[in-house]
Amino acid sequence: SVIPSVAVALHATARGDRNGPTGTYSVAAEMSRDVANHLSANDVDVAVAYNVALDHGFGHSARDLLGGIDRYPLVPIFLNSASPPAPSFRRAATIGDVVGSFFDDRAERVLFVGTGGLTHHLPGFVPP
């Protein structure tokens, strides 16, 4: 399987791992595609995930902070921090700046939530 360094989801379900929620996220697919295009136009190599099962990092955050995985439209952006090679801190900050610039002139209220696997390694994500 392929685990991209950076991906934007157009459709996503919750894996339910680590006691996380299950179901379908409310993904703002058109906006997600626009964010992916913006990243690419700004020299960030990005994959588009057409149908991805997101893990507990997304599930717990959406459930606990937003009241559910389908309560608000989301633009799920995945930075691989579970298997090498992980993006450097500088690259992650650059990606965050580019994502932020996409939303600079938009009228919508936007909440940015960052969560990640910098403190653990999940089984199955590290190549043998």
Side-chain angles (χ1 to χ4, degrees):
S1 67
V2 175
I3 302 173
S5 293
V6 181
V8 178
L10 301 184
H11 179 271
T13 56
R15 286 181 39 192
D17 63 316
R18 311 277 181 178
N19 296 319
T22 58
T24 302
Y25 287 89
S26 175
V27 175
E30 185 176 329
M31 185 179 292
S32 291
R33 185 178 299 280
D34 291 344
V35 168
N37 288 333
H38 181 75
L39 284 164
S40 182
N42 285 276
D43 301 324
V44 175
D45 294 327
V46 60
V48 174
Y50 292 95
N51 188 15
V52 64
L54 300 174
D55 70 6
H56 62 280
F58 285 90
H60 286 281
S61 299
R63 180 194 63 207
D64 298 347
L65 296 174
L66 305 176
I69 65 171
D70 58 356
R71 183 152 183 211
Y72 296 102
L74 305 174
V75 177
I77 302 171
F78 172 85
L79 272 68
N80 177 13
S81 61
S83 64
S88 68
F89 290 117
R90 181 175 24 179
R91 179 163 157 75
T94 297
I95 293 165
D97 287 342
V98 174
V99 170
S101 73
F102 174 84
F103 290 98
D104 278 347
D105 297 323
R106 298 188 68 96
E108 299 95 334
R109 290 178 54 191
V110 177
L111 171 67
F112 293 92
V113 176
T115 180
L118 295 176
T119 61
H120 65 282
H121 296 284
L122 299 175
F125 285 105
V126 178

